[in-house]
Amino acid sequence: MDDHYFSADPSVPFQRAAVHAEVWGLELDLVSGSGVFAQGRLDIGTSVLFRETEPPAGGRILDLGCGYGVIGLACALAAPAAVVTGVDVNRRAVLLANENAASLGVADRFTASVPEDVDPAATYDEIWSNPPIRIGKQALHELLLAWLPRLAPDGRAVMVVGRNLGADSLQRWLGEQGLPTTRLASAKGFRVLETRRA
């Protein structure tokens, strides 16, 4: 099987690549790597997510499919009261996210793990994600149904999804699952969706 960014242990040789991102008025110098989503860059979808939203105020935040950590780390830096958990099946991504947290001085409030190492009883005030759409519809649905129910009663999830990758049908499907979802913004072929607990 070919390696993908959602492979647990990519076999492609590990090479780090610097990424500079301006997010919510913050300057982030990060390190990405081969075999991890958006190596060496801030992808367009995540850029849209940042541009079309305000940062969280604080609380317990989950960065679902964290990659090298840019979303969760931006949340941690923008909201000093936030405690952020990053989760990714890709162990290389988890390593990079934790290294980036240390270099940014937020390792006390940001921890990345593989899913099986996350406390199964943990709940979150907010979930932020550029979800791994390319894992396929069924796997994506299973992923979202595993994590979105962990939202606190007044919690919300904020996700960015490509329109041509099924954002509108995903919005309808989430509503059908009892997870009412609205569109916050649309830009550059992406939808920014907000999901609440019913």
Side-chain angles (χ1 to χ4, degrees), residues 4 14 44 78 110 114 143 191:
H4 296 282
F14 192 6
I44 295 172
F110 177 100
V114 292
L143 176 75
R191 309 289 202 216

Side-chain angles (χ1 to χ4, degrees), residues 50-105:
F50 287 136
R51 194 175 62 246
E52 300 294 336
T53 59
E54 296 293 326
R60 298 157 300 169
I61 297 170
L62 176 71
D63 179 357
L64 180 58
C66 66
Y68 59 85
V70 63
I71 295 175
L73 291 167
C75 289
L77 287 167
V83 175
V84 184
T85 299
V87 63
D88 204 297
V89 298
N90 184 323
R91 294 181 182 277
R92 191 174 292 181
V94 168
L95 172 70
L96 288 166
N98 285 320
E99 288 180 356
N100 284 324
S103 70
L104 292 172

Side-chain angles (χ1 to χ4, degrees), residues 11-194:
S11 60
V12 63
F14 192 6
Q15 294 183 321
R16 286 171 167 79
V19 178
H20 178 78
E22 296 180 26
V23 179
W24 296 322
L26 301 166
E27 303 278 337
L28 278 70
D29 286 306
L30 305 167
V31 176
S32 66
S34 49
V36 173
F37 179 64
Q39 177 192 1
R41 63 190 172 89
L42 184 65
D43 65 284
I44 295 172
T46 301
S47 297
V48 168
L49 176 69
F50 287 136
R51 194 175 62 246
E52 300 294 336
T53 59
E54 296 293 326
R60 298 157 300 169
I61 297 170
L62 176 71
D63 179 357
L64 180 58
C66 66
Y68 59 85
V70 63
I71 295 175
L73 291 167
C75 289
L77 287 167
V83 175
V84 184
T85 299
V87 63
D88 204 297
V89 298
N90 184 323
R91 294 181 182 277
R92 191 174 292 181
V94 168
L95 172 70
L96 288 166
N98 285 320
E99 288 180 356
N100 284 324
S103 70
L104 292 172
V106 293
D108 58 329
R109 297 187 295 110
F110 177 100
T111 305
S113 305
V114 292
E116 55 267 28
D117 290 344
V118 176
D119 178 0
T123 60
Y124 304 97
D125 300 302
E126 300 197 12
I127 295 173
W128 286 70
S129 185
N130 180 350
I133 299 296
R134 296 185 188 278
I135 62 176
K137 183 182 285 188
Q138 181 176 343
L140 177 68
H141 287 177
E142 291 172 359
L143 176 75
L144 295 177
L145 289 178
W147 293 96
L148 293 180
R150 294 188 182 212
L151 282 168
D154 294 325
R156 69 171 188 154
V158 181
M159 297 182 286
V160 63
V161 181
R163 183 176 53 80
N164 67 341
L165 293 176
D168 296 341
S169 61
L170 179 64
Q171 180 181 349
R172 286 192 300 272
W173 177 83
L174 286 166
E176 292 164 1
Q177 309 311 305
L179 295 162
T181 300
T182 57
R183 186 191 306 168
L184 295 180
S186 184
K188 296 192 174 183
F190 288 87
R191 309 289 202 216
V192 179
L193 305 177
E194 180 184 73

